[in-house]
């Protein structure tokens, strides 16, 4: 039986063998550049527009118009580690090019070349080119540095909410795990965004919801209503309230329900 010399194979392949240990995470073309883009300083400047403002001298709220990455970087100078809550409503990935003129955005031909899907004469090396992956790449490269800067703005007890649809929800969650820390994931709220059938569907599935991903420590909700709690049997665990385990529907409304004793 012949033996395979991996060192010779490495030389034949031109040193392109990646023998690093695998690790859990999400990667894509351009991620390194997107990571480097976050700490670079912004060349922009915030300019007041008093003529378009209301109650300039007394109003405590501020609305800033501009490229969000440049603005976020400028806000770091005064608000790093001071923001209590951030809500991000990014453009959803519809498979089209983004209007953000970031330097790292590639056209389709350049993407195929950089990801080694074509040779030096632009001939396809595979019949299954990853054109669709480029749209995920564009979107992730747009989102990553903006989330990194948003993280810098948050207080230690701050909370960030991000709206998203089915298209990039799995990828956004993995990116957020990396940036904000998986241990800080609180929940993924489901928002029912429409009441009627979506007639634009092409596959027969009418999606009526979107998601709001939440990272932070704790949400302060309404104080619990304890008016229905009591302790008639002196339970050592304290006051309690009984609850119907089968819901409020009657047996007539749930004919297929079977109770097992």
């Amino acid at each position: 039986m012949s033996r395979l010399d991996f060192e010779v194979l490495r030389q034949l392949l031109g040193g392109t063998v990646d023998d690093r240990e695998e690790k859990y995470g999400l990667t894509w073309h351009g991620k390194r550049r997107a990571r480097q883009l976050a700490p670079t300083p912004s060349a922009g400047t915030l300019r007041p527009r008093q003529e378009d403002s209301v109650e300039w001298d007394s109003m405590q709220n501020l609305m800033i118009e501009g490229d969000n990455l440049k603005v976020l970087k400028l806000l770091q100078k005064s608000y790093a580690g001071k923001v209590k809550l951030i809500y991000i409503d990014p453009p959803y990935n519809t498979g089209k090019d983004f209007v953000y003129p970031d330097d790292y955005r590639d056209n389709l031909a350049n993407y195929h070349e950089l990801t080694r899907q074509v040779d030096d004469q632009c001939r396809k090396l595979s019949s299954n080119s990853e054109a669709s992956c480029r749209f995920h790449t564009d979107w992730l490269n747009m989102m990553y540095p903006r989330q990194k800067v948003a993280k810098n703005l948050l207080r230690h007890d701050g909370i960030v909410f991000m709206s998203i649809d089915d298209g990039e929800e799995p990828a956004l969650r993995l990116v957020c795990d990396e940036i904000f820390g998986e241990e800080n994931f609180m929940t993924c709220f489901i928002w029912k965004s429409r009441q009627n059938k979506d007639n634009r569907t092409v596959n027969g599935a009418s999606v009526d919801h979107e998601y709001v991903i939440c990272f932070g420590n704790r949400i302060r909700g309404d104080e619990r209503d304890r008016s229905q709690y009591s302790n008639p049997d002196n339970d050592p665990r304290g006051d309690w309230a009984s609850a119907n385990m089968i819901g409020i529907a009657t047996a007539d409304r749930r004919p297929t329900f079977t109770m097992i004793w």
Side-chain angles (χ1 to χ4, degrees):
M1 178 181 292
S2 60
R3 299 178 61 185
L4 179 63
D5 190 327
F6 285 99
E7 184 59 33
V8 174
L9 178 61
R10 184 191 302 274
Q11 296 173 6
L12 292 174
L13 294 175
T16 59
V17 177
D18 187 354
D19 57 0
R20 293 174 297 178
E21 287 293 328
E22 299 90 349
K23 63 179 182 178
Y24 179 77
L26 178 65
T27 186
W28 64 89
H29 173 67
K31 182 177 182 180
R32 181 182 305 172
R33 175 71 180 108
R35 186 184 290 117
Q36 295 170 346
L37 190 65
T40 58
S42 175
T45 302
L46 296 179
R47 297 182 179 273
R49 299 182 61 176
Q50 297 188 30
E51 66 278 7
D52 296 327
S53 303
V54 178
E55 299 180 4
W56 175 266
D57 295 327
S58 59
M59 183 60 66
Q60 298 182 5
N61 300 315
L62 184 66
M63 183 178 73
I64 303 175
E65 181 180 358
D67 177 82
N68 48 27
L69 182 56
K70 294 179 180 179
V71 171
L72 287 169
K73 289 182 178 181
L74 290 172
L75 290 177
Q76 283 187 119
K77 298 178 181 179
S78 301
Y79 297 100
K82 297 180 180 180
V83 178
K84 298 179 181 178
L85 184 146
I86 295 177
Y87 171 66
I88 300 175
D89 187 12
Y92 291 171
N93 194 352
T94 60
K96 297 181 175 62
D97 284 333
F98 293 100
V99 297
Y100 294 95
D102 294 324
D103 294 337
Y104 52 77
R105 204 196 78 182
D106 299 315
N107 58 39
L108 183 56
N110 194 36
Y111 173 79
H112 282 164
E113 182 178 351
L114 291 172
T115 53
R116 300 179 182 179
Q117 297 184 53
V118 294
D119 59 17
D120 54 358
Q121 297 181 359
C122 296
R123 293 176 300 192
K124 289 184 178 180
L125 299 176
S126 171
S127 60
N128 183 23
S129 62
E130 299 178 2
S132 62
C133 293
R134 168 179 166 255
F135 298 121
H136 292 288
T137 295
D138 284 347
W139 192 87
L140 289 168
N141 281 334
M142 181 272 297
M143 286 294 295
Y144 193 92
R146 289 161 173 81
Q147 287 183 288
K148 288 285 286 186
V149 180
K151 169 67 164 52
N152 297 337
L153 292 170
L154 277 180
R155 292 186 352 177
H156 70 281
D157 58 346
I159 296 178
V160 57
F161 296 89
M162 286 158 283
S163 290
I164 198 61
D165 64 353
D166 286 309
E168 294 293 355
E169 188 273 334
L172 180 61
R173 171 67 194 281
L174 287 176
V175 172
C176 289
D177 285 345
E178 177 179 332
I179 294 177
F180 298 99
E182 186 177 1
E183 69 279 4
N184 293 316
F185 172 70
M186 296 186 63
T187 190
C188 181
F189 296 100
I190 298 178
W191 169 49
K192 186 174 176 63
S193 56
R194 62 183 304 116
Q195 298 294 332
N196 302 317
K197 177 183 177 182
D198 187 358
N199 294 317
R200 299 169 297 178
T201 177
V202 296
N203 58 10
S206 177
V207 178
D208 64 353
H209 64 276
E210 296 177 13
Y211 307 95
V212 180
I213 297 177
C214 177
F215 276 76
N217 295 313
R218 183 176 183 273
I219 297 178
R220 186 181 66 185
D222 294 335
E223 186 177 353
R224 177 176 293 178
D225 182 8
R226 297 183 178 274
S227 61
Q228 302 298 321
Y229 287 71
S230 62
N231 195 356
D233 58 352
N234 295 320
D235 192 298
R237 292 170 292 182
D239 292 352
W240 56 273
S242 61
N244 189 343
M245 299 300 293
I246 63 173
I248 61 175
T250 63
D252 294 337
R253 292 185 223 163
R254 305 181 66 182
T256 59
F257 179 80
T258 302
M259 177 67 78
I260 299 177
W261 299 92

